[in-house]
């Protein structure tokens, strides 16, 4: 007696892969939402308190789904990726804030979890830098406002 493994149709595989990717990021404390850009549906991924995106889930021509990531994430992930097994595409020209798309053909691909770990790590570092930069900008703005007020007090009224 032979056992047959049920095959998964293409649309189900795509949905399961998108869900596996989304679950990997949510398990790491990220938030997701469903967005559209014209006819393209995608899922941006970020931290709850952050206004920055870590990654985004898009479809994949010829594959099940793709994760669009930033340059820093790709540079850390690259040594662990075998170019014979993984399709990576330059998406910088689309102008969506991401530079690379990593394509997945199956929901059980172990690279999904590894990519999520690295994207969250890079995103956390980038968010911490942004918070420090915003704090410094705020501090400089308040100093500038104080100096302007001082100068306004010292200026003479030409009609007095």
């Amino acid at each position: 007696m032979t056992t047959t493994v049920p095959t998964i149709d293409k649309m189900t595989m795509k949905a399961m892969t998108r869900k596996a990717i989304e679950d990997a990021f949510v398990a790491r404390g990220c938030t997701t939402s469903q967005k559209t850009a014209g006819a393209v549906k995608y899922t941006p991924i970020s931290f709850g308190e952050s206004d920055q995106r870590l990654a985004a889930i898009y479809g994949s021509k010829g594959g099940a789904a793709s994760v669009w990531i930033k340059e820093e994430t790709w540079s850390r992930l690259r040594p662990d990726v075998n170019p014979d097994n993984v399709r990576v595409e330059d998406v910088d020209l689309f102008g969506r804030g991401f530079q690379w798309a990593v394509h997945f053909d199956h929901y059980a691909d172990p690279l999904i979890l590894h990519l999520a770990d690295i994207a969250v790590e890079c995103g956390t570092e980038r968010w911490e830098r942004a918070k420090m930069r915003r704090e410094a900008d705020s501090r400089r703005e308040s100093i500038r406002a104080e100096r302007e007020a001082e100068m306004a007090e010292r200026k003479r009224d030409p009609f007095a």
Side-chain angles (χ1 to χ4, degrees), residues 10 16 33 47 54 109 115 156:
K10 186 168 85 171
M16 290 173 71
S33 59
F47 292 119
L54 303 173
D109 190 329
L115 182 143
R156 296 179 298 162

Side-chain angles (χ1 to χ4, degrees), residues 12-77:
T12 304
M13 180 62 77
K14 286 178 179 276
M16 290 173 71
T17 304
R18 287 178 76 98
K19 178 84 170 106
I21 295 167
E22 187 173 353
D23 289 348
F25 280 98
V26 169
R28 287 156 179 77
C30 298
T31 58
T32 64
S33 59
Q34 303 302 314
K35 302 267 184 177
T36 58
V40 178
K41 293 179 185 176
Y42 67 100
T43 306
I45 301 165
S46 60
F47 292 119
E49 74 277 0
S50 171
D51 58 355
Q52 296 181 348
R53 303 289 188 226
L54 303 173
I57 305 167
Y58 282 86
S60 173
K61 290 182 181 177
S66 66
V67 178
W68 290 27
I69 56 176
K70 298 195 178 278
E71 187 73 41
E72 185 179 359
T73 303
W74 171 241
S75 66
R76 290 188 194 179
L77 181 67

